[in-house]
Amino acid sequence: MAAPAGDDPDSLMSLTTVFCLRNLRRTMCCQGSRNKLSLRPDVFLPSEICDKLLGTYVELVQTDSSFQPQDGFFQLFSDPRSTRLTRVQLREDVVRDKDLEAIRKQDLIELQLTYCSSLSSRSLRTLACFRETLVSLCLFGCRYIFYRRAAPLACDEDGEDEDCPASRQALETDFSFQGFRRLRLLNLEGLPDEVDVETLLKPLRGLTSLELANVQLLGTSFLSQWRDRLASLVLYNVDLSEELLSTVVELVHLRHLDISRESRRPSFKFKMTRKILTSIVQRLVNLVSLDISGHMMLDNCTVPHCEEAMGRPSIEPCKSSIYPFQELRRPLQFLGLYDTSLCNVTHIPAQKVTGSRNEEQVLNAIEAYMEFRPELAHRAINQLFDIARIQHCSQLLRALLQLVIAALKCHKYDKSIQVTGSAALYYLTNTEYRCDQSVRLRGEVIQVVLNGMEQYQEVTVQRNCCLTLCNFTIPEELEFQYRRVNQLLLKILEPARQDESIQRIAVHLCNALVCQVDNQHKEAVGKMGFVKTMLNLIQKKLQDRVCDQVMEFSWSALWNITDETPDNCQMFLNCQGMRLFLECLEEFPDKQELHRNMLGLLGNVAEVRALRPQLLTPQFITVFTDLLDSKADGIEVSYNACGVLSHIMFDGSEVWSMEEPPRARVMEKMWDAIQSWDVSSRRNINYRSFEPILRLLPQSVSPVSQHWATWALYNLVSVYPHKYCPLLIKEGGLRLLEKVLELESSQPETKDMARYKVMEHCENFKDHPMETND
């Protein structure tokens, strides 16, 4: 049997790295001067470890809310005598100017800065420190790095305000790549229009890879300086012209060419023709990778459908359905045809194709465009969503773990990615795919879903994330993030947020999370404000005079969270819960499910001896007594009302200080109600323990309470013997029932029920457990 998807364990290196970062002062660091973090003097870390530490630190800051960023962390790598950095990858606002300065003495070979919008031209000066060693440099999405920071109102210790955005008026004009003799790979996506690209790049004679996505080129001739060296050129979303393409096809050593574009940008006038595509194929004979995604073909480039060769699709150039590619000497390794009509033909001469024709093309598109083309990745993920929803995703591990989860982590601030990615997660984790997923993979899904809920307060994302959580076994699969998920759900349910669909799902999840968990979990959730939040929702529904699922789920959640948890019962009373109970009864007299949930909750309150005096008022006792006659939801409302009164009666006649209603009359009505119940009734209740019922058995203060408890046990062990016979035996219930038989105060019918119904049923179960029908 194949292992579920995503079941590979983390490497020892990864586990050790995370442990060290979470425990810096216990492992590799000590307290330095002025209480700053400092590396231990006897520690030396090689580049393999330092690179891993820095990369994992950035990932934890971005994706793990429990991980606290360390002030001065980058300073740990300031001295190359004790730490060595060679390949550094930093993302988003984790890194600031002073952090990059901290590692300026390192001999970096590779530096990748992605979406680091906090960096200013101050970091350009730091880059000059790496000019002797740097081979690869990426400045993708660093939109302010070519601008000086505006004059600060308040300066940090280095004389510049880190929180002040760089001024778009103060362009840096002094920076030059002069002296970067070893630089071979350069990514300058989104270079400001004011920067002279030709002047900036002129010193870099040794470049073999150049990415100028979203850059405005005023001239094209400067590209010719790399005619004999350039192997990779990316001109994504660059306004193409015949002049530019004439220069490009002179770069005969190119192996990868990307001239794709975002098709929905109306500003581009250039049209791709069969002639231009043929020229590219004929002149650039070393090409193994080509991306022309987003282009509309001006004339017919494809073989008529009726003339396409029959049989299996082929990647041989001679059989190509696209005329220009018949000129290829060998199939391409990669061909980008996303958002073009060319992806729909039968014979495409490439090992890997991006497009929208089938699942393979869509997954290839997500993979190719995820990091640097979020606008394309968003649309491809949306198509994957349709595949998972309507058809079937056959590459689950790749789609879920390697692509969708990775995209959500990579673009946590991108609304379109978060919306489509969270929607795809919902369908990729539903019942159809569940058996193919490991515990570890599902745990990773939960983590990224909670990250989305935490970082992106947008209605659609919140709804998708909540719906995805509903695909998991609750609370078992969410227990490792129990506190966090409850905090996020309670935040969603704040009164100011009134989206009905999210509210309904969130209340359902809250209810499921507090059902079947231990009292420690319930107490913790209660302290988070769970009880007050549910009562606020109930109050709002009362004001609107609406009894819907939110109202019913809220009372059900309160029923669950107060089960054997006195502190939460106290909170319910302190937050005016009884007032809302009475108002709901009056406003919604015919809502049976609502009544059952409310009475179940009050049964929990009544089990707490210290709280029962607050229920012992003429108004409340009259309400409970009247509900004994209720036929709502079978016997449930009547049963729970009788349970509340049974615990109150158990405190004795001396506490009954009221004249109306008389204690004797209430007990008489309790007897009548119990006699009217069908003992074979199936129950909407789930007992984890019989302790609250068993304490009512060996006593002579209230025979009717004893009778109610005995009837409850008889009903449960006869209707659900496999579940409740073992529980009753385990908790010593048979011994307590024997004491009932010994008490003179016990009523004959109670004794008969205890001896011939409950005890005999359990004895038969012990003798023949497999023959008893459940």
Side-chain angles (χ1 to χ4, degrees), residues 264-291:
R264 300 184 181 182
R265 292 179 61 165
S267 58
F268 295 140
K269 305 292 191 294
F270 182 82
K271 303 294 183 182
M272 184 67 70
T273 66
R274 176 175 170 177
K275 178 182 177 181
I276 292 172
L277 200 51
T278 301
S279 175
I280 291 172
V281 172
Q282 289 177 341
R283 299 286 297 278
L284 301 179
V285 294
N286 293 306
L287 273 186
V288 296
S289 173
L290 175 65
D291 201 333

Side-chain angles (χ1 to χ4, degrees), residues 350-368:
Q351 303 286 349
K352 183 175 285 190
V353 179
T354 68
S356 54
R357 182 186 184 187
N358 52 41
E359 179 184 331
E360 180 68 23
Q361 288 186 1
V362 169
L363 294 180
N364 289 341
I366 301 173
E367 182 177 41

Side-chain angles (χ1 to χ4, degrees), residues 116-186:
C116 298
S117 56
S118 296
L119 299 182
S120 71
S121 62
R122 179 177 162 188
S123 288
L124 285 180
R125 299 195 294 272
T126 304
L127 288 183
C129 299
F130 309 128
R131 61 180 177 270
E132 296 293 336
T133 59
L134 208 58
V135 173
S136 175
L137 174 63
C138 173
L139 300 178
F140 186 90
C142 301
R143 53 182 176 166
Y144 297 131
I145 200 167
F146 278 89
Y147 294 93
R148 300 189 189 98
R149 199 174 293 281
L153 296 175
C155 297
D156 64 8
E157 61 183 13
D158 298 315
E160 293 193 39
D161 181 10
E162 286 290 332
D163 296 321
C164 179
S167 168
R168 292 196 63 84
Q169 283 72 44
L171 182 69
E172 176 61 63
T173 57
D174 295 335
F175 177 76
S176 168
F177 279 115
Q178 194 70 42
F180 285 74
R181 293 186 298 272
R182 297 188 63 191
L183 197 62
R184 298 293 181 266
L185 292 82
L186 179 62

Side-chain angles (χ1 to χ4, degrees), residues 435-461:
C435 62
D436 297 322
Q437 298 168 12
S438 68
V439 172
R440 182 168 177 264
L441 176 57
R442 289 176 71 79
E444 191 154 355
V445 173
I446 291 169
Q447 290 273 30
V448 80
V449 165
L450 297 182
N451 289 344
M453 293 173 68
E454 203 164 51
Q455 297 291 339
Y456 212 88
Q457 304 300 315
E458 199 276 335
V459 171
T460 309
V461 174

